[in-house]
Structure formats: C-alpha cells, structure tokens
Amino acid sequence: MAPPAHSGAGPRSEVGVTATEAEKAHTLRENTGSGTHRVVEMIPPQEASVRRREIEDKLKQEEETLSFIRDSLEKSDQLTKNMVSILSSFESRLMKLENSIIPVHKQTENLQRLQENVEKTLSCLDHVISYYHVASDTEKIIREGPTGRLEEYLGSMAKIQKAVEYFQDNSPDSPELNKVKLLFERGKESLESEFRSLMTRHSKVVSPVLILDLISGEEEMEVQEEVPLEHLPEGVLLDVVRISRWLVEYGRNQDFMNVYYQIRSSQLDRSIRGLKEHFRKSTSASGVPYSPAIPTKRKDTPTKKPIKRPGTIRKAQNLLKQYSQHGLDGKKGGSNLIPLEGRDDMLDVETNAYIHCISAFVKLAQSEYQLLMEVIPEHHQKKTFDSLIQDALDGLMLEGENIVSAARKAIVRHDFSAVLTVFPILRHLKQTKPEFDQVLQGTAASTKNKLPSLITSMETVGAKALEDFADNIKNDPDKEYNMPKDGTVHELTSNAILFLQQLLDFQETAGAMLASQETSSSATSYSSEFSKRLLSTYLCKVLGNLQLNLLSKSKVYEDPALSAIFLHNNYNYILKALEKSELIQLVAVTQKTAECCYREHIEQQIQTYQRSWLKVTDYIAEKNLPVFQPGAKLRDKERQMIKERFKGFNDGLEELCKIQKAWAIPDTEQRDKIRQAQKHIVKETYGAFLHRYGSVPFTKNPEKYIKYHVEQVGDMIDRLFDTSA
C-alpha cells in the first residue's frame, strides 16, 4: 500500500520535495502514463507503527459501540412487542366496557329528560300560581303609596302589570283579572298623584337676584361662571323622571304632562312677576330705580361690570346742563325746560323692569326647556313647552301692548317724551329676537308671531310719534303769553333739541321705524345706511320745521331788535347743541352745509339787532350834523340843532339800555361779542361827535346835554342783557 501524497507548502526541489524532507524520507519516482514523475513521500517506520495502533484502538471502540447499539435494538424490539400486546389487550377490554355502558347511558339520559320536564312543569305551575298571589302580595304597598320608596313601588307595579298581561292572555274571564286591573289603576293614580306632589312641593320661584345674575352674567364676567339654576333638587328630579317614563311606557296616560306644564308655567310667570316687583320695591325704598348697573355685592355673587342702562330723556337733559355751563341755558336765559325728572324716573323704572323681564323670560324659558327635555317624552316636548310659556309670554306681550297704547295716548297729548320709552324697549326686543326665535323654535306659529307682532306695533307707533313730533314742531301755535319776554330760547326749541338728542342713542331703532313706513320696494330689505339717511332726512325736516316756526313766533315781538335777539338765541342754541353732540354729523349725511347756514342766520340776526342802534347813532352821525366855521359864532338854529342831537342821543341811549338790559343772551361768548361790537360802533361815533361839539358854546348849561363821557357810554352798553345790573 502506497502512503498518501504530501502537498506541503515549503520550498521544493525540482521534483517538488525539499532537501530537508529528502533527508527524513525516501523519495521514489513513479512513472505515470503521461511521461511525468510523481513524488511519493514515505512515512518512517516508527510513525507508521504509532498510527496503526491508534487506528486499531479506534476500530475496537467502534466495534464495542456497534455491539452496544445492536443490544439496544434488540431490547427495543422486545419492549415494542410487549407494548403492542398490552394495547391490544386494553382495546379488547374497552370494547367490552363500551358495549356494557352505552345502554346504561341511554337509560340515564331519558331519566334526566323526564326529570327536567317535571321541574319545568313545576316551575310553570309556580309561575302561574304566583300571578294569583300578586294582588295579595302587592296590595299593601300600593295602598301605602310610592312616597319615600319609589323603587319598591315601581317593582310592585311591574308585577301587577305582568299579572294583568297574563290573565288577559290566558284567562280573560278570571275574577283575578279584574282584581289586578283595579290594583293597577290605583297604583297608576298614586304615581300621578306623587308626580303632582313632587312638582308642587319642590318647584320654587327663581329669586330676582338670581335672575339678575343670570341675565347679566354674559356681559359682566370676563371669565364667565355658569349661574346655577336648580328648578328641582337632584333626587326629586330623578324620581320625577322615573315616574314620567313609567307613566308614558305603562300608564298610557298624558295627563301628567298637563300637570307638569301647569305647575312650571305658574312658577315661570311668578318668577318674572317677582322680578318686576323687585324693581318697584327697590325704587320705592331707595327713591331711585334699581339697576344692575350698581349691583349689591353678595358673598355668593362675583363682582360684575355695570350694564348700560336704556337711554331716556335724562341723558339729553344732562347734555343740556353741560351746555348751560357755557352760557347756552343759564339763569338769565329764563330756561323753559319742563321738569321731567320725577316722571322720567318712573319711566326708567318701568322701562328697565320690562327690558329685564324680557331678558329674564328668554333665560328662564331656555332653562325650563332643558328641564322639560328630561321629564317629558321627546315627541311631546314642543307642545308641552308651548303650553308652559303661554302665560308668561302673554303677560309680557300684553304689557308691551299697554306700552304701545300708552304711547299712542301720549302722541295725542303731544307728550313725546313719554313716547321715548318705546325706543329702548324696541331696541332691546330686536336685539333679543334671535334668542327669542331660538327658544320658540318648534312652538305653534301663533306663539312665534307674538314678538314680531309687538315689534311691528312699536315700530308703527314710534314712526307715528316721529312724524307727529315733526308736525307739532311745525304747527306749534304762536301764543304771546308763551313767548319769553327776554327773547331767550323758546321752550319749543329746547324740547325739540331734547327729543333729537335722545334719538342719538337709538339711531338704528329710529331709522328702522322710519324705514318700516316706507312703501318703496327697497324699504323691504333696508340697510343700516338707508336707515341712517332716513334719520338724517328726518332731523333736517324737524330742524327746518323748527326754523319756520321760530320765524313765525318772532313776529309776535313788536320790537324787531327783540325779535332778532330771540332768533339769534334760538339759532345759536340749536347750533351749539348740534356741535356738542353727534347730531351735526348725522345731519351732515344729507345736509352738509347745515352748520354754515346756522352761522349765517346767527350773523344776520346780529346785524338786524345792530340796526336798532341806528336811531341812537343817527343823531350824532356826521352826515346829519350842522356845518359851521371854526371860531365863528353859532346861530340860534345851529345851537338848537346841536342840543337836539345831544338830547336825542341821550334819550335814545337811556331808552335802549333800559329796554335791552332786560333782554337775555344766555351764551356768554355771543353776549360779549355783541356787546363789544355795539360798544365799538357807539363809542367811536359818540367820541367823534363829542370831540367835535363838546367844546362848542351851544348852551349855557353843557352838563344838561353832555351827560355821558365816552367810557360811561361803554359801561352802559356793557350792562346790556344783564337783568342783575
């Protein structure tokens, strides 16, 4: 056997074997078929012997292992044969057991089925028998009623209901049916009575203070806290809801819904009436109308910002008081303002009360609807709510119609300040209408139309008031006894300005009133700009009518100068009132030159007044003086003419100063302006006359004719229009 070839990697000779390896082994050459030679490495004898022994040892170990595996296989085969024998025996025994057990099992199953049938039959008998005992078992509970134990009571009613259904289906002629029917009806009546009792005992009127918190909370709180409004205690509400649901589902009765709306309707109406009474009591106790503008701080009420009160004629009067500080309407002017403070306080109370009641109705109605949704079935909610709010709503609408009726009567009396109460109410109704419509959504058409009908009535009467006021300004009679003796501002002018000032707070409302009476197609969907132009046109109409009437009244004065002072005062009063408010901007929408026109009228009257002094200054005017040579002796005719000139001037000056001292120009600026202008003219003319004839010997008694120095004349004119001088 040839040893294996060596494939070493070290340096080799030309036949592929290193020199070192040649020393350790014999190298042989074999002739191959291709003519090449292969080098065969020969293992030394010692190493070959070692390797042989190793191989023999391994072979012996393998033989031992093989013998062990052979023995194991034999044992396994024996075990398998034993297991197969056991399993075969077990299978045979199972077959015998099955053949014995199956018949027994079938017999047992039949017996169990029979037992179940017997138990079911007994159960059915017990169930049927129980219906015959329902009346006796539940009679005491039904007789005592559900108060304090509603859960147990409803459980008993459920048993009675099932008994009724059973006897109706299985034994309709049974006397037990009548017995449980009667018991069921008694139980239902007790539940209805309990429903009424719970609603009556626990439904309480909402306090006025809580209502005021509720309606003012949205505007007053930067971080709004929900005002709690608990109509029924939580436990009571749960009982009411359970009774309601039972009556709907089993009672087949809707009478409780009538009970519900009657009780809640009464509470709603009483809550609103209580708020109104709260306003009246607050007014009578404090002397001033209550308003949440100055709320009373309570421990349970957060601090609130003031609410803007509805505007009344008082605001215009306050503005006019400001004008009086500038001389527009002072003591010397003999103010003709009607003292309306007391009456307007009451108007404010009624107006504020009504406006707050409208807001209270909206909030309370919203709250009532939330409560109603829990108690009343969905398909009955709208109808029940409609009935619930009728009394309170009708009361508010009736009060609104009474306000409209009172306004109509006031128009007949030409008491237009009373009509002004319609304006804040109408504005509030329009602002509240979206909430109103949302609250009344789903109610009957007649209910929904009540507020729009009231708004239309108020717009109509408001428009009527505006038109009649304009006509009244135009046609106010010229009564001599009603004319101011001192030529100051006429009562008609002050009242007209008061009225127009009031309209500033209600521009949109007044414009909408006027627009509602327009017959043009564009008026049906008028814009705010359209309303503003209508109101501007109306203001111009009133001011034009006032100017015409003032011109007519001025003719009552016999003295043209006093007539001029009268017109001057009134025109100046109107202009200052327009300038110190937004009226001038509103008038300028349609009449941009109104301010210039009034200034021209004022200047014309000043010039007319100044002409009254011509009869004084004409005596000493240079064109009417005699001409003579300086130093020459005066003739008697010339001396007499100079005397007449002095006397005429003195008499005229004294007469005018005496008369005009009693006249009035309330505006300090205008009064000083007219005095200075007149003083300049008279002093200059008199100074020139005195300089020319003061030293001329026209009389032996010069002090008789030269009664005044130039400065004295100026002082006399400075005391014009001053009754205290």
Side-chain angles (χ1 to χ4, degrees), residues 311-313 315-316 416 419-420 423 427 462 465-466 469 496-511 513-514 535-536 538-539 542 582-583 586:
T312 63
I313 198 171
K315 180 176 179 181
F416 297 101
V419 182
L420 290 173
F423 285 73
R427 179 175 66 182
L466 292 175
F469 178 77
I497 293 300
L498 281 171
F499 190 85
L500 296 183
Q501 284 284 0
Q502 179 59 20
L503 295 184
L504 283 177
D505 277 347
F506 309 101
Q507 295 183 36
E508 292 185 7
T509 304
M513 286 178 176
L514 296 170
L535 184 58
S536 176
Y538 173 77
L539 294 179
V542 172
E582 298 177 9
L583 280 174
L586 196 54

Side-chain angles (χ1 to χ4, degrees), residues 579-633:
E579 288 178 336
K580 289 183 178 294
S581 68
E582 298 177 9
L583 280 174
I584 192 65
Q585 288 89 349
L586 196 54
V587 170
V589 172
T590 54
Q591 182 57 267
K592 299 187 182 302
T593 61
E595 186 175 356
C596 294
C597 289
Y598 274 110
R599 294 194 185 282
E600 291 176 2
H601 292 327
I602 292 170
E603 193 60 36
Q604 288 174 3
Q605 299 310 317
I606 292 176
Q607 294 174 5
T608 301
Y609 162 76
Q610 289 176 341
R611 285 197 288 271
S612 68
W613 282 84
L614 290 178
K615 62 182 180 181
V616 177
T617 56
D618 277 353
Y619 280 106
I620 57 177
E622 188 174 352
K623 60 180 180 179
N624 297 325
L625 296 178
V627 180
F628 56 89
Q629 296 295 327
K633 186 178 180 180

Side-chain angles (χ1 to χ4, degrees), residues 343 347 402-422 461 464-466 468-469 472 499:
R343 184 183 70 179
L347 290 177
N402 290 339
I403 292 172
V404 172
S405 178
R408 290 195 182 100
K409 294 176 182 177
I411 293 173
V412 175
R413 299 192 309 268
H414 293 167
D415 183 8
F416 297 101
S417 63
V419 182
L420 290 173
T421 57
V422 172
V461 75
K464 173 69 174 172
L466 292 175
D468 281 18
F469 178 77
N472 185 65
F499 190 85

Side-chain angles (χ1 to χ4, degrees), residues 204-223:
K204 292 181 173 53
V205 175
V206 183
S207 69
V209 174
L210 186 56
I211 294 176
L212 290 173
D213 288 342
L214 185 69
I215 63 180
S216 61
E218 294 179 358
E219 298 177 3
E220 294 178 346
M221 300 296 295
E222 293 181 1
V223 179

Side-chain angles (χ1 to χ4, degrees), residues 174-211:
S174 172
E176 293 295 330
L177 176 60
N178 294 330
K179 185 182 293 187
V180 291
K181 271 188 174 181
L182 289 174
L183 197 58
F184 182 80
E185 290 300 323
R186 284 178 57 187
K188 184 173 72 171
E189 291 174 1
S190 295
L191 284 172
E192 292 173 351
S193 177
E194 179 70 5
F195 182 88
R196 179 189 293 274
S197 176
L198 289 174
M199 291 297 301
T200 303
R201 284 188 288 114
H202 297 282
S203 291
K204 292 181 173 53
V205 175
V206 183
S207 69
V209 174
L210 186 56
I211 294 176

Side-chain angles (χ1 to χ4, degrees), residues 414 469-479 482-483 490-493 495 545-546 548-550 552-553:
H414 293 167
F469 178 77
D471 293 339
N472 185 65
I473 293 295
K474 181 179 180 180
N475 301 319
D476 186 68
D478 304 328
K479 298 178 181 178
N482 198 34
M483 294 295 290
H490 195 277
E491 177 184 346
L492 180 69
T493 303
N495 287 343
N545 290 348
L546 178 60
L548 291 174
N549 199 310
L550 290 174
S552 176
K553 290 182 184 302

Side-chain angles (χ1 to χ4, degrees), residues 16-153:
V17 181
T18 63
T20 305
E21 291 172 341
E23 294 176 357
K24 293 182 179 180
H26 300 284
T27 51
L28 300 177
R29 294 182 184 270
E30 285 185 316
N31 189 8
T32 64
S34 58
T36 61
H37 293 86
R38 182 177 60 174
V39 178
V40 179
E41 183 179 347
M42 299 301 292
I43 300 174
Q46 297 86 351
E47 187 173 346
S49 177
V50 171
R51 289 184 65 184
R52 187 181 295 110
R53 283 194 302 270
E54 289 176 356
I55 291 171
E56 288 176 352
D57 291 339
K58 286 181 180 181
L59 182 58
K60 185 179 181 180
Q61 290 176 359
E62 292 297 332
E63 287 176 351
E64 291 175 354
T65 301
L66 183 60
S67 177
F68 174 77
I69 291 173
R70 187 180 293 109
D71 292 342
S72 297
L73 285 175
E74 289 177 356
K75 290 179 181 180
S76 177
D77 288 341
Q78 186 62 38
L79 290 174
T80 300
K81 289 177 182 179
N82 293 338
M83 181 58 69
V84 169
S85 176
I86 292 171
L87 289 176
S88 296
S89 176
F90 185 71
E91 183 180 8
S92 176
R93 292 178 182 180
L94 280 178
M95 288 293 292
K96 291 179 181 180
L97 180 62
E98 183 178 359
N99 292 333
S100 300
I101 290 299
I102 287 178
V104 176
H105 173 71
K106 288 181 179 181
Q107 291 176 2
T108 304
E109 187 177 18
N110 291 333
L111 290 173
Q112 287 178 342
R113 188 178 300 111
L114 290 173
Q115 184 181 0
E116 289 175 0
N117 290 337
V118 170
E119 290 176 352
K120 288 181 180 179
T121 302
L122 291 174
S123 176
C124 288
L125 288 173
D126 290 339
H127 182 67
V128 170
I129 292 172
S130 68
Y131 289 131
Y132 287 86
H133 295 288
V134 165
S136 59
D137 292 342
T138 60
E139 185 176 5
K140 181 182 178 181
I141 297 174
I142 299 302
R143 185 175 62 252
E144 292 176 352
T147 304
R149 51 175 182 177
L150 181 61
E151 187 72 27
E152 182 183 5
Y153 193 89

